[in-house]
Amino acid sequence: MTSILILNGPNLNMLGKREPDIYGATTLPRIEAACSAHAEARGVLLSFQQSNHEGTLIDAIQAAPENHQGIILNAGAYTHTSVALRDAIASVDIPVVELHLSNIHARESFRHHSMIAPVVVGQICGFGAAGYILAIDAMIASLNESMA
Ligand code: DQA
């Protein structure tokens, strides 16, 4: 069965409490539960990981191909700063979908640039928690496309 890793970076464990006007009132466990229900209906398996640490995220990306066919990554602020995360994504041969709850292009200018955008399949941003569901469907479409 197709397995997808949903990997969340720094401060995403704070969803629900953190700037709810920007990120919404939903918590990460609630998002993960909604993702699991959606994935079950689509016949795919999901795993979840969250870390506030850049190296742990890199370890998770490097290990992902052993167990997963794709990664949905909300890298949080590391999106805008981390060459190391970009290199980790480029080093694995499974697709990565970049995800953000907020529309990073409509916010502060330092959020407009994504270090990882050039090495991912595509980017979903601005749809709040629903973006996670959209990202699952985008990943499934991308995997189906590559198998066609
Ligand atoms: C974020 C956007 C980033 O700019 C920010 O640093 C985050 C969350 C989002 O989901 O909208 O931590 O990735």
Side-chain angles (χ1 to χ4, degrees), residues 10-12 18 23 74-80 99-104 107 111 132:
N11 299 307
L12 291 158
R18 174 192 186 201
Y23 298 115
N74 185 344
Y78 289 138
T79 303
H80 316 297
L99 172 66
H100 305 282
L101 292 117
S102 63
N103 180 354
I104 57 173
R107 298 183 61 194
R111 295 185 204 276
Y132 284 82

Side-chain angles (χ1 to χ4, degrees), residues 16-75:
K17 294 186 199 127
R18 174 192 186 201
E19 301 180 89
D21 46 319
I22 296 172
Y23 298 115
T26 315
T27 63
L28 190 55
R30 277 165 57 190
I31 291 172
E32 290 178 350
C35 286
S36 292
H38 186 76
E40 202 179 322
R42 294 284 183 283
V44 299
L45 279 177
L46 294 184
S47 291
F48 302 99
Q49 227 176 311
Q50 187 276 330
S51 177
N52 293 322
H53 304 281
E54 191 175 17
T56 305
L57 295 168
I58 291 166
D59 289 343
I61 291 166
Q62 289 179 1
E66 288 164 31
N67 299 305
H68 308 289
Q69 282 70 51
I71 304 171
I72 293 167
L73 175 62
N74 185 344

